[in-house]
Amino acid sequence: MQTGQVRKTLSTADTDTVSASLLMGIVAALSDSEIDPYVCLDIAGIGRDWSADPTGRISLTQFLAFLQALLQQPQADESLGMQLGCQLAITSFNALGYAAANSGCLQDALMLIPEYEALVITCGKTRIQLEPESVMMSWAMLVQSAQPHSVPPNSVPPQLINLLENLFLASWVTLAKMLTGTKHQIHAVQFTHRQPHNLALWHQVFGENIRFNQAQAAVHFPRSLLSLTINQADPFIRKVMVREAQTLNASLKQKTLSTKLMEWLVVALPAGEPEQKQIAEFFHISERTLRRRLQQENTSYQKILEQTRQQRANYYLQQTDLPLVEIAELLGYQHLSAFNAAYKRWTGNTPGSVRKCKG
């Protein structure tokens, strides 16, 4: 997909933004490479004043067009996201990075990410699950729609999602090791994309237990690591930076209920299609209020459910090798036949035919 096409297909996603500090970090990470990031900034239509304010924002459309231009450079390869993630500095993550770097321990730092990651990229969703002996941190990219009644852009190039997936997971692990001054071992890392041809950099960062074609991108590590002390942390700076993060977070445009519902469905669907009563309880509103607020946004639960399923189905079919039965389960279908019928209704093709074309 060409850069101009990225802009066109993402024209409905301009409510999503990315911090200038992240863009600065990526440009800095490319300083010793053969790729000229400024050429790519020009291709993406990002003006020369983008770096004037580290707390400034650029549209997701422009950011992804920039990443697409990077990938189109002859020197770029499939490990570009990993390379960038390994070189991002604390400053690349805005006030969130400074607050995390000055936390007392690794747990205090990590728990800031889900709360304030919108400061870095509004469509990034990090979840932390604590188990008795382990921790799972997962990341997914979920694009908003500027118009509540429009279908979220399913045509975000998968290679861009893969690049960001690699970038954020690599940066988590690299910065955690740097802040704690340890070379701790993680249990496993999983990615939604197919296995790259050369795994050298993945093994260098994550170790040997790496899984691909998974339902979600995640890092699994021992819970005991949460107590690791962060070197040279300053409680006063943390307090100031958390306050700054709160202020910046409040200034970002609030997501619509339909967007929040779509994000929730991505996580909930593998357990089966939820009832509206369950959804209303999760959002602490009545079923009637749920229907009314979605109607005010020119949509409905059924439309959002269909949009979410189609978006995730396209990704799983085009970018993973998951069996069709497993994809159906991840989308909340009890039977493969129901998934087949729905996908043919959406696209005119069967999931099997799409998978054959991909191969």
Side-chain angles (χ1 to χ4, degrees):
M1 179 177 288
Q2 299 300 311
T3 304
Q5 291 177 283
V6 174
R7 292 199 194 95
K8 183 177 180 181
T9 57
L10 286 172
S11 60
T12 59
D14 283 336
T15 51
D16 272 308
T17 59
V18 178
S19 71
S21 60
L22 178 61
L23 186 57
M24 289 179 188
I26 292 175
V27 170
L30 292 166
S31 61
D32 293 329
S33 74
E34 296 180 356
I35 298 175
D36 186 345
Y38 294 97
V39 170
C40 298
L41 288 168
D42 289 340
I43 292 173
I46 299 176
R48 295 290 176 168
D49 60 346
W50 65 272
S51 60
D53 179 12
T55 64
R57 314 292 299 183
I58 60 171
S59 73
L60 178 67
T61 301
Q62 289 183 306
F63 180 65
L64 292 185
F66 167 68
L67 295 183
Q68 183 70 29
L70 290 180
L71 287 175
Q72 290 173 349
Q73 300 306 301
Q75 305 89 342
D77 60 31
E78 59 188 351
S79 68
L80 180 61
M82 289 290 298
Q83 295 173 38
L84 296 175
C86 291
Q87 297 183 65
L88 288 182
I90 290 297
T91 54
S92 305
F93 298 94
N94 209 299
L96 168 59
Y98 288 106
N102 286 281
S103 298
C105 65
L106 190 59
Q107 177 168 345
D108 292 343
L110 295 182
M111 291 304 176
L112 292 171
I113 296 176
E115 188 169 1
Y116 298 115
E117 67 185 322
L119 300 183
V120 181
I121 180 169
T122 57
C123 57
K125 292 299 294 182
T126 298
R127 290 180 174 83
I128 300 177
Q129 294 178 236
L130 300 177
E131 302 294 341
E133 300 295 330
S134 64
V135 179
M136 182 182 79
M137 283 187 65
S138 62
W139 187 86
M141 179 181 173
L142 300 166
V143 180
Q144 299 182 51
S145 171
Q147 302 298 323
H149 59 275
S150 64
V151 178
N154 295 326
S155 49
V156 177
Q159 64 267 30
L160 298 185
I161 298 176
N162 296 347
L163 185 153
L164 288 171
E165 190 176 285
N166 290 320
L167 182 150
F168 283 113
L169 266 62
S171 66
W172 285 350
V173 173
T174 302
L175 290 175
K177 291 179 179 179
M178 181 194 74
L179 291 174
T180 59
T182 62
K183 295 182 179 180
H184 48 266
Q185 296 298 313
I186 56 181
H187 286 156
V189 179
Q190 57 191 61
F191 296 93
T192 63
H193 58 78
R194 292 189 293 275
Q195 179 173 318
H197 293 96
N198 186 345
L199 287 174
L201 186 52
W202 278 263
H203 286 313
Q204 179 182 328
V205 176
F206 302 118
E208 296 301 317
N209 195 358
I210 306 175
R211 308 164 190 163
F212 297 93
N213 290 311
Q214 302 298 302
Q216 61 184 334
V219 177
H220 302 259
F221 57 92
R223 184 160 179 165
S224 59
L225 297 183
L226 293 177
S227 61
L228 288 175
T229 300
I230 291 181
N231 298 328
Q232 300 178 330
D234 187 323
F236 176 75
I237 293 179
R238 184 184 194 275
K239 184 177 181 180
V240 171
M241 287 296 106
V242 167
R243 189 181 301 121
E244 175 71 6
Q246 291 171 341
T247 301
L248 293 171
N249 217 27
S251 68
L252 293 176
K253 186 176 180 180
Q254 293 296 312
K255 292 182 179 180
T256 62
L257 177 61
S258 55
T259 298
K260 293 177 181 178
L261 177 53
M262 180 173 290
E263 293 174 352
W264 184 80
L265 283 172
V266 171
V267 179
L269 279 173
E273 181 181 327
E275 297 180 355
Q276 291 194 45
K277 179 180 179 181
Q278 180 184 355
I279 296 167
E281 289 176 351
F282 178 82
F283 288 105
H284 305 292
I285 56 178
S286 67
E287 291 182 65
R288 181 178 180 181
T289 300
L290 173 67
R291 289 191 292 271
R292 176 175 56 79
R293 288 181 57 182
L294 292 177
Q295 187 176 21
Q296 289 173 344
E297 295 176 13
N298 298 313
T299 189
S300 67
Y301 167 62
Q302 196 58 41
K303 287 181 180 179
I304 294 171
L305 177 64
E306 294 276 291
Q307 291 168 2
T308 305
R309 280 174 158 166
Q310 183 178 356
Q311 183 181 27
R312 298 311 294 168
N314 286 337
Y315 180 78
Y316 290 137
L317 289 170
Q318 295 170 15
Q319 201 58 26
T320 78
D321 296 320
L322 292 170
L324 296 182
V325 172
E326 190 169 341
I327 293 176
E329 291 175 352
L330 289 171
L331 298 177
Y333 291 105
Q334 294 184 353
H335 305 288
L336 177 58
S337 58
F339 171 46
N340 287 333
Y343 196 82
K344 189 165 186 179
R345 184 175 72 252
W346 300 330
T347 67
N349 301 308
T350 64
S353 65
V354 173
R355 176 56 62 78
K356 287 179 180 178
C357 289
K358 187 201 77 170

